[in-house]
Amino acid sequence: MPPADGPSAPPGGDEVDRIVAAWRRVAPDLDVEPLEVLSRVARLAHHLDRLRRGAFAAHELETWEFDVLAALRRAGGTHELSPGQLVVQTLVTSGTMTNRVDRLERRGLVQRRPAPDDGRSVLVRLTPAGATVVDAALADLVRAEHRMLAVLPAGERRALAALLRRVTAPFETTARG
């Protein structure tokens, strides 16, 4: 029997089970079922953030630096995008992006060039050094993420990805709109 001052998780349970049990005890009229999913997503996001920061630090990158470099790498071709396209892909303000591009340019990881179709605009291009560092960081990240998901068989990983896609889709649509 759990102690009177707090519930314990069911056998095989986790911290979220303990949190949900406590809320059910102190607020029995409140439906706390969303916590069973979303608190786990939040906790997983925290662990994933730590894992990613570690993978990027091994390449002397901050998470935001990886995000910008990865967006340019994914662009294919000449690996360049406008600052506005980078803003959309990284979900930051234009002022923040200007600061980030300045910092990456000082490190020799990106360079600006005039846009060929509009002399007032610029494009941000990934340099060879930037491509090398983002490719190496991505390889380390993917290896670490594979280890993180190894507790699930391939079919369950695909099912989880599909479920999470359904939950996040309305937010992604709103962000693009």
Side-chain angles (χ1 to χ4, degrees):
M1 176 171 232
D5 60 346
S8 61
D14 63 4
E15 185 62 22
V16 173
D17 288 323
R18 285 184 279 283
I19 291 167
V20 168
W23 280 121
R24 287 185 172 141
R25 180 176 53 80
V26 301
D29 295 335
L30 186 62
D31 179 7
V32 295
E33 187 219 5
L35 295 176
E36 295 190 63
V37 174
L38 300 176
S39 291
R40 286 186 176 92
V41 169
R43 294 173 76 83
L44 180 60
H46 174 77
H47 294 298
L48 179 59
D49 181 57
R50 287 180 34 211
L51 179 139
R52 287 181 167 187
R53 281 187 278 124
F56 302 149
H59 301 278
E60 299 180 1
L61 290 176
E62 297 290 333
T63 300
W64 68 263
E65 292 172 310
F66 177 84
D67 289 345
V68 174
L69 297 174
L72 293 167
R73 185 72 169 105
R74 289 190 310 266
T78 58
H79 303 291
E80 59 187 11
L81 296 169
S82 71
Q85 290 169 309
L86 286 169
V87 163
V88 170
Q89 289 195 32
T90 61
L91 302 175
V92 298
T93 66
S94 60
T96 297
M97 184 53 63
T98 298
N99 182 300
R100 290 179 176 188
V101 171
D102 288 345
R103 291 172 66 182
L104 290 168
E105 193 170 38
R106 282 193 297 272
R107 290 189 58 195
L109 301 176
V110 303
Q111 61 187 183
R112 288 180 174 96
R113 72 176 189 92
D117 57 338
D118 180 358
R120 298 170 297 158
S121 299
V122 299
L123 294 174
V124 179
R125 177 181 284 179
L126 188 64
T127 65
T132 297
V133 75
V134 75
D135 286 352
L138 177 64
D140 285 352
L141 173 64
V142 170
R143 277 191 292 278
E145 289 181 349
H146 274 289
R147 285 191 302 272
M148 181 182 226
L149 292 173
V151 298
L152 298 175
E156 289 182 4
R157 288 192 306 267
R158 284 189 299 275
L160 179 58
L163 292 169
L164 291 170
R165 185 180 302 112
R166 283 178 43 201
V167 173
T168 60
F171 299 100
E172 298 296 324
T173 302
T174 301
R176 279 192 307 269

